[in-house]
Amino acid sequence: MSLDVGYTLGEPSGTTLTQRLVELSPLPAREAKQVAQRILHALDPRRDAAGPQTVCTALGLAPSAFPHDHRPPHFALWPGAVVAVARIARVVPVVTLSNVSHWDERETDVAALLAPHLRAHHPSWQLGFAKPDPRAVQTVARLHGQDPAEVLHVGDSLDYDVRGALAAGAQALWITPHPPSAEALRLLAEHPGRVAVVPDLARAVGHIEQTVLPSTHTIRSIIP
């Protein structure tokens, strides 16, 4: 099972680099966020020194506008997040699959925060692909020797977690406290039986336990 991190297990305590760039960009906020997710979050600056310039160009910014002075905010897990991951890990091995920039993860060790319950942590900037690019889920599945159809991805975002999982051929567990919009309902109707919806992380844990434990309804893990 793959698990989103940001706004599924916790949140940054300050402004992220993505948020700063979205505020600076002349593009509409949703479009700018999508551009940042696709390019910035998949960028490893250790391998691509021109990456910041590429990001700025795509966002309609001068290269000099890139916030090289950015200080990553502390990432804080929500109360109960570690317990939730521990409960899931008792019934199915867990990895994390997170959209995050290199700059914002520099001072956060997600694997350590959730130790010893994770089998692996897969940030987008290391994978080279960010959700909803199907290659993010597909790459994680391949790294663990499994087919994407055997993946259950859990996350809070319809646009990134649910669409990304479905595009990859995986299943999705969508955590949202809000009733699905008409757009979301149409998407779910197009993929019957592949998406479950729960209001919070605690309900997600219960859903996974109830689904995985019965021998006749086993969700196969992405970890052999």
Side-chain angles (χ1 to χ4, degrees), residues 154-179:
V154 182
D156 70 293
S157 172
L158 177 72
D159 287 339
Y160 301 106
D161 294 304
V162 177
R163 292 186 188 279
L166 292 175
Q171 302 173 67
L173 179 55
W174 181 24
I175 301 175
T176 175
H178 308 294

Side-chain angles (χ1 to χ4, degrees), residues 30-45:
R30 182 171 181 178
E31 181 182 349
K33 182 179 178 182
Q34 290 171 339
V35 170
Q37 292 275 358
R38 185 179 73 251
I39 303 176
L40 179 71
H41 288 196
L43 174 65
D44 185 345

Side-chain angles (χ1 to χ4, degrees), residues 14-195:
T15 303
T16 67
L17 180 61
T18 302
Q19 291 167 339
R20 289 184 66 180
L21 286 168
V22 168
E23 291 173 357
L24 291 170
S25 174
L27 299 177
R30 182 171 181 178
E31 181 182 349
K33 182 179 178 182
Q34 290 171 339
V35 170
Q37 292 275 358
R38 185 179 73 251
I39 303 176
L40 179 71
H41 288 196
L43 174 65
D44 185 345
R46 301 172 302 180
R47 297 194 294 262
D48 183 3
Q53 179 176 342
T54 302
V55 172
C56 286
T57 299
L59 289 171
L61 297 170
S64 59
F66 190 87
H68 289 285
D69 62 344
H70 178 69
R71 299 184 63 181
H74 172 69
F75 184 83
L77 291 174
W78 289 331
V82 175
V83 172
V85 175
R87 283 177 57 187
I88 296 171
R90 292 191 189 106
V91 296
V92 60
V94 182
V95 303
T96 46
L97 171 53
S98 177
N99 276 10
V100 64
S101 75
H102 164 80
W103 289 269
D104 281 316
E105 200 174 55
R106 282 182 300 181
E107 297 183 11
T108 299
D109 188 339
V110 172
L113 290 175
L114 297 171
H117 312 299
L118 288 185
R119 292 296 180 89
H121 172 53
H122 297 292
S124 55
W125 67 269
Q126 288 186 0
L127 290 174
F129 308 108
K131 301 168 292 185
D133 188 328
R135 291 173 292 181
V137 172
Q138 291 166 349
T139 299
V140 170
R142 177 180 54 79
L143 288 172
H144 295 284
Q146 299 296 323
D147 188 274
E150 298 171 324
V151 174
L152 172 65
H153 179 70
V154 182
D156 70 293
S157 172
L158 177 72
D159 287 339
Y160 301 106
D161 294 304
V162 177
R163 292 186 188 279
L166 292 175
Q171 302 173 67
L173 179 55
W174 181 24
I175 301 175
T176 175
H178 308 294
S181 65
E183 175 190 4
L185 290 173
R186 285 194 295 271
L187 178 66
L188 302 186
E190 292 170 2
H191 300 276
R194 291 179 58 197
V195 183

